[in-house]
Amino acid sequence: KGKQRKLSFKQKQELENLPARMEALEAEQAQLHEQMSDPEFYLSAAAEAASLQQRLEQIEQELETAYARWEGLEELASGG
């Protein structure tokens, strides 16, 4: 029978902070989508569009990593 592992103090803090981090990323993502959905945006800030698109891709990657980490920590916390 394997030993049940517990989260370290640092892992517990990370697990507690991840939902807020994910929420902030999702809020930023929604704001960028809203900004970029405005047709006037591309007329007035065409140069900025490429950098915002790049930021959206970065947010997607950060969210994917955060969700995977959160799931891993949750599993570890539950002993599975």
Side-chain angles (χ1 to χ4, degrees):
K1 216 175 186 183
K3 281 184 159 181
Q4 183 175 355
R5 295 184 59 198
K6 290 187 176 184
L7 294 177
S8 70
F9 177 75
K10 185 176 177 182
Q11 289 171 322
K12 285 179 188 177
Q13 279 190 312
E14 183 181 7
L15 182 58
E16 291 173 6
N17 293 329
L18 272 171
R21 173 73 179 137
M22 292 183 294
E23 187 176 316
L25 287 168
E26 289 171 343
E28 182 183 358
Q29 182 182 46
Q31 186 268 329
L32 289 176
H33 277 293
E34 184 178 325
Q35 185 178 0
M36 293 177 74
S37 69
D38 181 0
E40 292 293 317
F41 170 75
Y42 290 96
L43 296 174
S44 63
E48 190 180 352
S51 66
L52 290 183
Q53 183 61 41
Q54 192 173 29
R55 178 61 185 144
L56 278 172
E57 291 170 11
Q58 185 181 23
I59 290 171
E60 291 284 336
Q61 291 173 350
E62 288 180 40
L63 280 170
E64 187 176 313
T65 301
Y67 275 109
R69 181 66 178 154
W70 180 71
E71 288 174 3
L73 289 172
E74 280 286 323
E75 185 176 318
L76 186 60
S78 67

